[in-house]
Amino acid sequence: MGKNNAKSSIGFWALIWLLGLAGQLCWNMENQWFNTFVYAKIAKDPTIISWMLAISAAATTVSTFLFGCVSDRKGNRKTLVSVGYILWGIFTILFGTTEFMNKGSNSALIGIAFAVVAADAIMSFFGSMGNDIGFNAWINDHMTPDNSGALGAALAVQPVIGTIVGTIAGGLLVGADDNYMRLFTVIGGSVILLGIISLFGMKDVDNLKPSIKGSFSEQFFSIFNLKAYLQHRELVFVNLMLAVYFISFNVYFSHLGNFMIYYLGFTADTMGLIEGVGLIVAMFVTIPAIKLIKADRSSLLIFAAIILNSIGLLIIGLLVSPTNVDPSTVWNPNLMAGMLFVGIGYILFLQTITVWSKRLYPEDSRGQFEGIRIVFYVLIPMVIAPLISNPVIKNSGEFVDEYGFTEYLPTNAVFIAGLIVVLLTLIPLYFAHREHQKL
């Protein structure tokens, strides 16, 4: 698949969607169902989720820098995608086996929590290898001014579709009997299958050459050259936007499933439908956004995304509670309106900033600059967000169950906290826009 014909071929776009959606389904499962798995099978304590977020983010970041450097030096994306996806799927399935560990004592529970965190980290390590570095760098190699809008739209819509399908199908797979192992086996198996398909169906661009800059260690650590990185001033502020926005996102989204299931009283399948309807409607926003991205109106789109996201969080934070929702039906106007605004803001933001940042990558270091992106997209948000959400939940959502055990359930307060943080994204947006205007 050469660079010229790949951009328009059916095979190219099939790989974009199949590999992209399989990856997003797996990430969605980790971000959403791993957290409800912890509450259902381990303990109703957000501290375990906080450790999962932080440690898996660290594993993801190490993976992106390591394999980003390997990818650039070898001039190879395909191998990372294939091997990464296969191992990603295997460890997804193995993660589910932690529920069968003996929970007979407090010390055993601590050991199980450690195993859950470790299994999540290993899964994230290989997921980042295959998806964040291999797949994303492969897309970067094919991106041109002509197809950047369409690729950006695909990359932005895929997490939404992944969330919709992952939430609805996930709820059905888990079922009333809380069979999480069934969910992990189906999703993990799908990712393994796509990894095998990529072995035979994927080809790197013809002009991808090894980029060797000294020894491996010299090239690996060159990416940590802060002075050189700061010369890309516009990219610096774009990445800061990414970090602030996703700190806010992880404050509330990591706990959204448990908020709807354990605080509001919805079942997993009803929760999926409510979330899915809002996001399906929100997807249509990406159609006109493609033209605005091509017209270089990214700053305006980001501004609109932040405002819409804020409105959605405000609605959920102030107008949704156990007293005014009906868990037996999908029709809950306040909750659905909040989800719609949050979904529109999320799609607009992710679609726009994905293209904006990728346009600024140095051509000979795209793999490593994906590593830098992960620092702002994953590491910083997933380390900082729990420092905000964990105390908020423990101070606002402490309950004692019928057996006298303390449980911590996410309440509306996490959405208000997310609202405050997301508005701070306007600060780096101002500076990114100003740098862009200088060009």
Side-chain angles (χ1 to χ4, degrees):
M1 187 183 301
K3 185 172 182 179
N4 293 329
N5 58 18
K7 294 191 282 283
S8 58
S9 72
I10 295 174
F12 170 72
W13 284 104
L15 286 171
I16 290 288
W17 282 99
L18 288 173
L19 289 168
L21 286 177
Q24 290 304 325
L25 281 171
C26 215
W27 285 134
N28 171 260
M29 182 182 59
E30 180 181 11
N31 293 334
Q32 191 163 49
W33 292 110
F34 277 22
N35 302 331
T36 58
F37 168 83
V38 167
Y39 268 50
K41 301 294 184 179
I42 312 299
K44 292 180 176 62
D45 190 335
T47 302
I48 300 175
I49 294 174
S50 297
W51 278 106
M52 285 171 60
L53 288 173
I55 301 301
S56 67
T60 295
T61 305
V62 170
S63 177
T64 53
F65 279 117
L66 174 63
F67 291 113
C69 185
V70 169
S71 177
D72 287 336
R73 286 179 67 87
K74 296 293 185 181
N76 185 301
R77 319 296 192 196
K78 172 184 172 178
T79 302
L80 293 183
V81 174
S82 302
V83 175
Y85 269 60
I86 291 170
L87 292 174
W88 193 11
I90 289 172
F91 281 98
T92 295
I93 297 171
L94 291 177
F95 174 87
T97 63
T98 58
E99 74 169 273
F100 303 116
M101 298 175 72
N102 191 331
K103 307 179 182 69
S105 64
N106 285 335
S107 60
L109 183 60
I110 293 172
I112 294 169
F114 179 83
V116 167
V117 172
D120 183 33
I122 295 171
M123 172 200 158
S124 297
F125 182 84
F126 290 115
S128 183
M129 171 188 174
N131 186 265
D132 291 327
I133 287 300
F135 181 63
N136 274 297
W138 182 75
I139 289 175
N140 285 350
D141 294 336
H142 291 85
M143 185 174 285
T144 69
D146 292 333
N147 69 9
S148 62
L151 282 174
L155 293 175
V157 169
Q158 284 171 2
V160 180
I161 297 176
T163 300
I164 295 168
V165 175
T167 303
I168 297 174
L172 294 173
L173 286 168
V174 171
D177 56 344
D178 277 352
N179 191 336
Y180 280 86
M181 196 65 216
R182 184 166 52 211
L183 169 65
F184 300 150
T185 301
V186 170
I187 300 298
S190 299
V191 173
I192 293 171
L193 178 62
L194 265 296
I196 294 172
I197 289 174
S198 70
L199 278 172
F200 303 98
M202 173 180 276
K203 291 183 180 179
D204 288 321
V205 293
D206 294 337
N207 62 347
L208 179 63
K209 305 296 181 185
S211 176
I212 299 175
K213 303 174 182 177
S215 67
F216 182 89
S217 60
E218 289 172 340
Q219 187 162 347
F220 179 82
F221 287 106
S222 69
I223 203 66
F224 299 101
N225 186 334
L226 184 61
K227 183 177 179 181
Y229 170 66
L230 291 176
Q231 292 176 358
H232 302 273
R233 289 180 58 83
E234 185 179 348
L235 183 59
V236 168
F237 290 117
V238 169
N239 281 336
L240 284 174
M241 273 195 288
L242 193 66
V244 177
Y245 182 89
F246 277 95
I247 290 172
S248 167
F249 182 80
N250 282 286
V251 163
Y252 63 87
F253 187 79
S254 298
H255 304 283
L256 178 61
N258 289 325
F259 168 77
M260 294 182 68
I261 294 172
Y262 296 102
Y263 183 65
L264 297 182
F266 290 95
T267 58
D269 53 350
T270 305
M271 177 203 79
L273 289 172
I274 292 173
E275 194 174 325
V277 169
L279 289 170
I280 288 171
V281 175
M283 274 200 306
F284 290 100
V285 174
T286 63
I287 298 172
I290 295 173
K291 294 182 179 180
L292 289 173
I293 290 174
K294 284 187 175 181
D296 202 22
R297 303 300 300 273
S298 294
S299 299
L300 176 62
L301 285 171
I302 294 287
F303 178 77
I306 294 168
I307 298 303
L308 291 168
N309 208 111
S310 300
I311 293 171
L313 293 174
L314 188 64
I315 291 173
I316 298 174
L318 296 182
L319 303 179
V320 176
S321 72
T323 61
N324 64 12
V325 299
D326 182 359
S328 66
T329 178
V330 171
W331 181 247
N332 285 273
N334 289 348
L335 181 57
M336 294 183 74
M339 291 298 302
L340 176 61
F341 280 105
V342 169
I344 292 173
Y346 171 70
I347 296 171
L348 278 179
F349 182 88
L350 189 59
Q351 174 183 351
T352 306
I353 205 162
T354 296
V355 176
W356 192 347
S357 62
K358 289 181 185 294
R359 284 173 173 172
L360 300 172
Y361 289 174
E363 190 170 330
D364 62 346
S365 303
R366 286 170 176 164
Q368 286 182 280
F369 269 75
E370 281 294 337
I372 292 179
R373 176 177 176 269
I374 292 300
V375 170
F376 292 92
Y377 183 34
V378 176
L379 181 63
I380 294 174
M382 288 191 176
V383 170
I384 294 179
L387 300 178
I388 300 170
S389 60
N390 205 44
V392 167
I393 292 171
K394 289 205 165 184
N395 287 321
S396 66
E398 181 176 341
F399 300 90
V400 178
D401 69 12
E402 57 184 313
Y403 303 106
F405 292 103
T406 301
E407 299 178 343
Y408 300 97
L409 305 182
T411 66
N412 306 69
V414 293
F415 297 94
I416 299 301
L419 166 64
I420 294 170
V421 177
V422 78
L423 288 172
L424 297 177
T425 312
L426 294 170
I427 298 172
L429 171 61
Y430 167 78
F431 290 103
H433 176 70
R434 192 172 69 172
E435 289 297 322
H436 187 71
Q437 292 298 102
K438 293 179 181 179
L439 299 178

